[in-house]
Structures are given as C-alpha cells and as structure tokens.
Amino acid sequence: MRASGTFDVADFTPAPMAGPAIETALPVGVATLRKQYEGQVTGASVPLSTAAFDQATGTGTYVAMESFEGTLDGQAGAFTFAHSATTLGEGRESEFFVIVPGSGKGAPAGISGTGGVAVGADGTHRFWFDYELGR
C-alpha cells in the first residue's frame, strides 16, 4: 500500500555535540525536530537528525531517525522510520528510507516498508510510505 502527503518542520533545535570535535570543511551537527504531517498520513514526528551541511550552497548529507504518531490511512498508531540523503545544491541523491521493523504500535503494528522524501521547487516537502501491515 502507499500513503503520501506533505510535512512542515514545526521546530528545529540544534543540540550540543558530545566529545571532542574534529573540524572538517562541512561542520557536523545534531538537532531535534518536530514535524507536522498532512495527507493520507496525519500527525507529528520527533526526529533526531545529524548532518554535515553547508546552508549557503545546499551541499551536505543528513541521517535521521523519526518516531511518528498519528493516523496512517485513517488508522491510529505510531511507528519509527529512518532516512538519509545527500544534496549537491539541488535535488537529492543516495537516498535511504526504511520503516523500522517491529516499531509499529496500535493499528500499524507489524508495519514494514520503505518510502521517500521529495522537495518541490516551491519548498514543499512531500513524502510517501510504501508499506505492508501484519508481518
């Protein structure tokens, strides 16, 4: 099955890095976020993200782990997914997106699958889950 929609980042809070830093050409950072989802998936997620990114050029790579709570095709519950991508100013490449097996609670218990994120020219963030239930 496929469910899709849009999301907005409602909060982005940088977090301190533990341990000694190694300076590279792109700074590495950690942040917590809060996202709001609309569409066939409605609710909120709390991602933990780490990235090496240059805001001025749009170049970098991120890795995120998100815990989502809300409705998936009208069914209430929660699950976790992980994703990463690289950007070189425009577009996304080397994408990875997976629903964490065994993370479903409520209606999405037993959820598994993949998904993706796309950012439109107007800045709209779109997402989709290709998923199965009951495994």
Side-chain angles (χ1 to χ4, degrees):
M1 293 184 276
R2 177 172 271 208
S4 62
T6 61
F7 70 84
D8 290 314
V9 177
D11 181 55
F12 180 91
T13 305
M17 295 281 293
I22 295 175
E23 189 174 324
T24 65
L26 290 178
V28 174
V30 175
T32 58
L33 295 88
R34 182 158 181 84
K35 294 181 179 178
Q36 291 297 130
Y37 288 80
E38 295 183 10
Q40 293 169 307
V41 179
T42 303
S45 72
V46 182
L48 176 62
S49 178
T50 187
F53 193 73
D54 180 351
Q55 291 282 351
T57 64
T59 301
T61 299
Y62 80 91
V63 177
M65 184 72 69
E66 294 196 36
S67 296
F68 170 84
E69 183 174 46
T71 61
L72 172 67
D73 282 331
Q75 303 292 316
F79 59 94
T80 301
F81 55 98
H83 54 104
S84 65
T86 294
T87 60
L88 298 171
E90 290 185 21
R92 296 164 57 88
E93 58 185 51
S94 302
E95 290 187 82
F96 171 81
F97 196 114
V98 65
I99 297 170
V100 177
S103 69
K105 181 178 175 184
I111 192 170
S112 63
T114 61
V117 174
V119 181
D122 64 355
T124 300
H125 287 74
R126 300 186 188 289
F127 71 92
W128 61 92
F129 294 111
D130 290 323
Y131 69 97
E132 294 180 19
L133 296 174
R135 286 180 128 185

